[in-house]
Amino acid sequence: MNLFLEPSFASELRAEVLIVGAGIAGLNAAITLKTLGIEPVLIYWERESSVYSQGGIACATKRGDSPQLHLLDTLRAGRGLCDERAVRVLVEEGIREIAKLESYGLKFDEKSTKEGGHSFERILRVGDFTGREVVKTLKKKVEELKIGIFKLKAQEIIHDGRILGILAIDENKSVILIVAKAVILASGGYSAIFSGSSNPEGARGDIIGASLRAGLELKNMEFVQFHPTLLESSKFLLTEALRGEGAILIDEDGERFVDELLPRDVVARSIYKKIKAGKRVFLDLKRVKDLPERFPTIFNHLLSLGLKIKEPVPVVPGAHFSIGGISVDLWGRTQIEGLYAIGECACNGVHGANRLASNALLEGLVFGSRAGYAIYHDIKGAEFKGVKVFSRRRRGLCNPEFTKKELSKLVFELCGLERDESGLKEALNKLNTWLEASELWERTPENRELLDECLVAKAMVESALWRKESRGVHFRSDFSFEREEFRKDSHYRLYLA
């Protein structure tokens, strides 16, 4: 194991199943486990990305729609890289998960909406704060079931070929070893590693980097979806549902330049091209009916900024959803026995090269539940194993010569909406230079995070260099077309001496 933090001692806790992350995927996994008679423990550090989801949940629950139509729409958006088995699981089992949510007391809006890439009005919404309400509903159920939830930050994955536990820190930076029979990583994605992102600052993928150091394989790291419409100079997202309800995109000359319901990557790049040409882009909301009632979060936020709803609001694209992640099977299993990954930190093949709008929350629900069922069977007969931490303590000599902000600027400029070989190689050389010095860094939680974020960025850049084509959200200006030889997943591992 290549551990960055090596404390001479650590206090120890035990959890039958430890879940790292308290977003939709982690919460649903915990509920499933508890109902099966297994005691899970949840740990979290910051507010999860699930809370910020405005758009809704795509699911074929209405008459006239079908899971097969939902599957076809998802495959079409994924540009040949979806695992059809995973998509079928998503669209079929999702119907059951929505019913469970409603049985817990969640009430969706009466009218479903349509978003880009969908052939049917199948987006289930709760105003424009769906993610927040789903998390609230699941947390209430977690409290009813008396599931433990603690504020701790995971730092290291401890294993000997089978999971042993997680090394975490508390708010005082005291080190805690949590020994577990099984661990679920549900810690979110890595899109906040870009300087322009809709995600909270914590969604920078450091646990994905830690999983690399633990020997896990990552898949399709080059695919990061940019949302077309973030409010200019902010992380605030203007949901795609607005465009589904009639909002249009115009440039500063008032010209409408793109079909707003095309897949997100097409719309985002169209906006990016306008901005690169020196023009600002605006979202015109005048055609959206009942905006204050149907989109209260957006309406009130815009008013608080002094923006007039009758006038177009300025927008920019921003990194929104990381499609790549830890390689897992259809039950969330990783290559380490007893270690699972679900939600945005995992890559199970559902999204292919481009996530269909509003499939993310459904994925968290479905695969969170499936991981719970898998663990029920997998840990039968498993026992807690003793863990020794640690035999040596390395002292660092310096701190990193770069900051998180500089890392974010690098990946946005050279591995963002448009990429080419020259820029990617420049980024890789810089990352390698930074990483070469990491052996000398002070062993602190902050430096550990920066190291793991840097490893995630390197995985993304090297995967983008390998994929000499444009497919889905991955656009290479020097290979601006799909190539049949690259109709396959990328795989990335960290080979340690």
Side-chain angles (χ1 to χ4, degrees):
M1 288 179 291
N2 183 43
L3 299 179
F4 186 83
L5 291 181
E6 294 187 324
S8 56
F9 65 91
S11 58
E12 184 177 315
L13 299 174
R14 289 194 172 194
E16 196 168 12
V17 178
L18 175 66
I19 302 172
V20 179
I24 284 172
L27 291 168
N28 209 36
I31 292 166
T32 302
L33 286 162
K34 183 74 173 188
T35 57
L36 292 171
I38 294 171
E39 291 293 335
V41 169
L42 287 149
I43 64 171
Y44 75 100
W45 192 246
E46 294 180 341
R47 203 178 194 198
E48 299 294 336
S49 299
S50 307
V51 174
Y52 296 91
S53 175
Q54 296 176 353
I57 307 177
C59 195
T61 60
K62 303 298 182 184
R63 203 184 235 333
D65 196 7
S66 73
Q68 183 66 19
L69 288 174
H70 190 181
L71 178 140
L72 292 174
D73 288 343
T74 302
L75 295 179
R76 190 179 302 114
R79 302 304 306 164
L81 286 193
C82 294
D83 182 336
E84 187 171 336
R85 301 168 305 159
V87 179
R88 195 167 295 282
V89 164
L90 178 82
V91 299
E92 292 179 353
E93 296 186 13
I95 294 170
R96 178 188 63 204
E97 296 303 321
I98 293 300
K100 283 165 63 176
L101 270 183
E102 292 181 330
S103 76
Y104 299 157
L106 183 65
K107 293 189 185 331
F108 289 104
D109 294 350
E110 187 174 333
K111 184 181 185 302
S112 301
T113 59
K114 185 177 180 181
E115 291 183 353
H118 288 274
S119 59
F120 200 88
E121 292 182 348
R122 65 168 68 97
I123 313 303
L124 306 173
R125 297 171 51 244
V126 183
D128 59 353
F129 42 86
T130 308
R132 186 185 78 196
E133 291 303 298
V134 174
V135 169
K136 182 178 174 182
T137 300
L138 293 175
K139 279 191 173 177
K140 183 180 178 183
K141 188 67 176 177
V142 161
E143 289 169 4
E144 289 174 5
L145 294 172
K146 296 181 169 54
I147 295 171
I149 179 166
F150 303 97
K151 189 170 185 181
L152 297 168
K153 183 170 180 58
Q155 296 278 295
E156 300 280 0
I157 297 165
I158 312 298
H159 72 97
D160 62 1
R162 174 176 178 82
I163 195 67
L164 300 174
I166 290 287
L167 200 63
I169 57 169
D170 63 17
E171 291 180 286
N172 297 317
K173 297 186 182 178
S174 298
V175 179
I176 299 167
L177 173 66
I178 309 172
V179 180
K181 296 178 184 178
V183 171
I184 302 176
L185 302 178
S187 52
Y190 52 94
S191 65
I193 203 171
F194 291 86
S195 57
S197 171
S198 65
N199 277 242
E201 184 60 25
R204 296 174 65 92
D206 59 294
I207 295 302
I208 298 174
S211 75
L212 261 180
R213 292 188 290 108
L216 290 182
E217 178 186 87
L218 306 185
K219 186 166 74 173
N220 291 345
M221 290 294 289
E222 66 271 33
F223 295 113
V224 177
Q225 186 178 71
F226 278 67
H227 197 286
T229 51
L230 269 61
L231 188 64
E232 190 179 75
S233 302
S234 79
K235 285 181 173 287
F236 190 78
L237 186 148
L238 296 167
T239 174
E240 190 157 9
L242 289 167
R243 285 176 277 133
E245 293 298 306
I248 61 170
L249 287 162
I250 58 174
D251 64 17
E252 61 187 40
D253 300 320
E255 177 190 352
R256 186 179 181 185
F257 57 91
V258 66
D259 178 350
E260 290 81 7
L261 294 182
L262 286 171
R264 283 178 174 174
D265 63 305
V266 178
V267 178
R269 281 200 302 275
S270 297
I271 296 172
Y272 184 64
K273 285 177 181 175
K274 284 286 183 181
I275 292 171
K276 275 195 5 178
K279 292 183 180 291
R280 295 175 79 198
V281 172
F282 299 84
L283 189 65
D284 189 335
L285 304 171
K286 288 197 293 289
R287 301 183 188 185
V288 180
K289 295 180 180 178
D290 304 320
L291 183 68
E293 294 79 22
R294 300 194 62 213
F295 300 94
T297 304
I298 292 170
F299 178 78
N300 290 325
H301 185 72
L302 295 179
L303 281 185
S304 73
L305 296 175
L307 295 170
K308 297 177 181 178
I309 305 303
K310 292 184 179 180
E311 296 179 3
V313 295
V315 293
V316 295
H320 179 57
F321 187 87
S322 36
I323 290 170
I326 301 165
S327 183
V328 295
D329 70 7
L330 299 185
W331 298 92
R333 298 185 183 97
T334 71
Q335 298 86 35
I336 295 173
E337 187 180 354
L339 180 63
Y340 305 75
I342 54 176
E344 199 174 344
C345 71
C347 184
N348 54 31
V350 160
H351 304 301
N354 189 9
R355 176 179 69 103
L356 182 65
S358 291
N359 269 354
L361 299 189
L362 192 68
E363 180 199 4
L365 290 167
V366 168
F367 289 91
S369 183
R370 283 174 73 84
Y373 285 112
I375 290 171
Y376 170 81
H377 292 289
D378 291 348
I379 67 170
K380 287 177 180 176
E383 297 181 355
F384 291 108
K385 296 179 72 173
V387 184
K388 292 180 181 179
V389 261
F390 287 101
S391 59
R392 60 196 172 96
R393 183 182 179 90
R394 294 180 292 183
R395 292 182 62 84
L397 300 174
C398 63
N399 282 310
E401 63 180 39
F402 65 101
T403 64
K404 288 190 176 191
K405 187 174 181 179
E406 288 172 298
L407 175 61
S408 295
K409 185 172 183 288
L410 180 80
V411 294
F412 183 80
E413 291 180 352
L414 300 178
C415 195
L417 274 159
E418 291 187 1
R419 304 155 173 186
D420 61 33
E421 184 150 353
S422 174
L424 291 168
K425 284 185 174 179
E426 182 184 341
L428 182 59
N429 289 337
K430 192 69 172 175
L431 290 167
N432 283 335
T433 299
W434 288 342
L435 285 167
E436 283 169 7
S438 64
E439 281 295 319
L440 302 176
W441 294 356
E442 288 283 351
R443 264 48 189 174
T444 66
E446 295 79 11
N447 287 351
R448 194 282 309 171
E449 286 179 30
L450 190 56
L451 168 67
D452 287 330
E453 291 169 17
C454 210
L455 290 173
V456 166
K458 183 179 177 181
M460 182 171 57
V461 169
E462 289 201 274
S463 299
L465 266 170
W466 172 82
R467 188 171 292 282
K468 292 179 169 58
E469 66 160 357
S470 291
R471 186 182 295 270
V473 296
H474 168 74
F475 183 79
R476 287 275 300 257
S477 58
D478 49 350
F479 292 98
S480 58
F481 46 86
E482 289 182 3
R483 300 170 69 188
E484 189 59 27
E485 64 192 281
F486 285 98
R487 190 174 176 175
K488 56 188 175 184
D489 297 324
S490 67
H491 300 271
Y492 187 88
R493 296 188 88 134
L494 186 63
Y495 293 97
L496 300 168

